[in-house]
Amino acid sequence: GDMDKYEIPEDIEVAFCQLCTLLSEVEMIATDLPAKWSHHMNSYFQDVKNFIATQAIDEARHAEVFRKRALAGAGLFRASVRGEHALKGILEADSYSEGSVFLHVLGEGFILTLFRSSEYISPTPVEQRMFQLVMQDEARHVSYGLQHLKYLMDNCPEVRPQINGFLDEAERRIFLLSERSVRTGFVPMRDVLKESIKVIEKLFEKK
């Protein structure tokens, strides 16, 4: 395929496939949420049911493309236990609105930024195009989630304390994805970011 035209250093390929492993985990959860709640919705909300059905298809396609990209290279790596713990909070939401806020606003907002960064450091034009396409879908999902949250806040003000509490918990879980444990505890995010910037600079020196 197109990837055969490019030679990717082994360390870069391994790192990229680890990223694809994480993203395939994320996208599988993003597929499960709309599928979980669709049949609970009254058919009166046909437009919403149709939209989240298309979202499930989008997310399944994303999971497939990240998985296949990893398998075409260095392979899939171990799933992150910390990531699994953080992501399962999406499916544990007590209502669709809570799950939507977690997934569409915080989760996919975070992932959209990650996709943009990943496009920036992609080792070949093949991966750059891959991220450009998935970003189009994710931007649409985030837009829907923000509109849903706005409608909820405008029309059901009594649920604001509940949503605020869930947002705090969702934010805590999202940040678990950005920390890594070491034998003595956690590495602060600022240190992880500094290290990541050095890796990005190294990637560009090799391009």
Side-chain angles (χ1 to χ4, degrees):
D2 291 341
M3 286 182 57
D4 295 335
K5 304 175 185 176
Y6 306 98
E7 287 189 15
I8 304 173
E10 182 180 359
D11 58 336
I12 302 301
E13 176 62 20
V14 168
F16 193 83
C17 288
Q18 181 64 70
L19 172 63
C20 286
T21 300
L22 170 65
L23 293 177
S24 65
E25 292 179 76
V26 171
E27 298 295 355
M28 282 188 276
I29 293 293
T31 304
D32 288 343
L33 180 82
K36 173 184 176 181
W37 287 102
S38 179
H39 70 283
H40 291 289
M41 293 183 181
N42 191 300
S43 295
Y44 177 81
F45 301 102
Q46 192 64 46
D47 290 339
V48 177
K49 288 172 71 74
N50 287 345
F51 177 82
I52 65 174
T54 64
Q55 181 188 352
I57 295 171
D58 288 342
E59 307 294 11
R61 188 171 61 246
H62 298 172
E64 178 185 30
V65 74
F66 291 127
R67 181 176 180 275
K68 285 186 174 179
R69 170 57 186 86
L71 292 174
L76 287 167
F77 290 89
R78 294 187 60 165
S80 164
V81 175
R82 187 176 303 281
E84 294 282 354
H85 177 72
L87 292 168
K88 74 174 185 176
I90 296 174
L91 298 181
E92 291 175 344
D94 293 329
S95 69
Y96 172 73
S97 292
E98 286 185 356
S100 173
V101 167
F102 193 157
L103 175 65
H104 297 120
V105 179
L106 281 179
E108 292 193 310
F110 172 79
I111 290 299
L112 191 57
T113 302
L114 182 57
F115 284 169
R116 176 66 70 188
S117 301
S118 300
E119 179 203 6
Y120 188 63
I121 64 170
S122 289
T124 78
V126 176
E127 288 82 11
Q128 289 178 345
R129 183 57 177 159
M130 177 178 73
F131 283 113
Q132 289 166 1
L133 292 174
V134 296
M135 276 191 289
Q136 293 176 8
D137 294 335
E138 296 298 349
R140 187 167 60 251
H141 304 161
V142 171
S143 177
Y144 160 76
L146 288 171
Q147 291 299 315
H148 178 79
L149 178 60
K150 183 178 184 301
Y151 179 87
L152 193 66
M153 295 295 97
D154 290 344
N155 293 276
C156 306
E158 69 278 5
V159 304
R160 287 188 179 187
Q162 179 184 354
I163 294 296
N164 284 336
F166 192 74
L167 278 170
D168 289 340
E169 173 61 16
E171 184 179 46
R172 185 186 70 81
R173 287 177 178 255
I174 286 292
F175 276 106
L176 283 176
L177 289 171
S178 304
E179 295 176 330
R180 70 172 186 268
S181 59
V182 293
R183 196 169 298 173
T184 57
F186 289 105
V187 176
M189 281 192 65
R190 62 179 179 274
D191 294 337
V192 176
L193 288 172
K194 288 178 183 177
E195 181 180 326
S196 299
I197 290 171
K198 290 180 181 177
V199 172
I200 291 171
E201 290 173 346
K202 182 180 177 182
L203 286 173
F204 270 92
E205 288 172 1
K206 291 186 176 182
K207 290 180 73 172

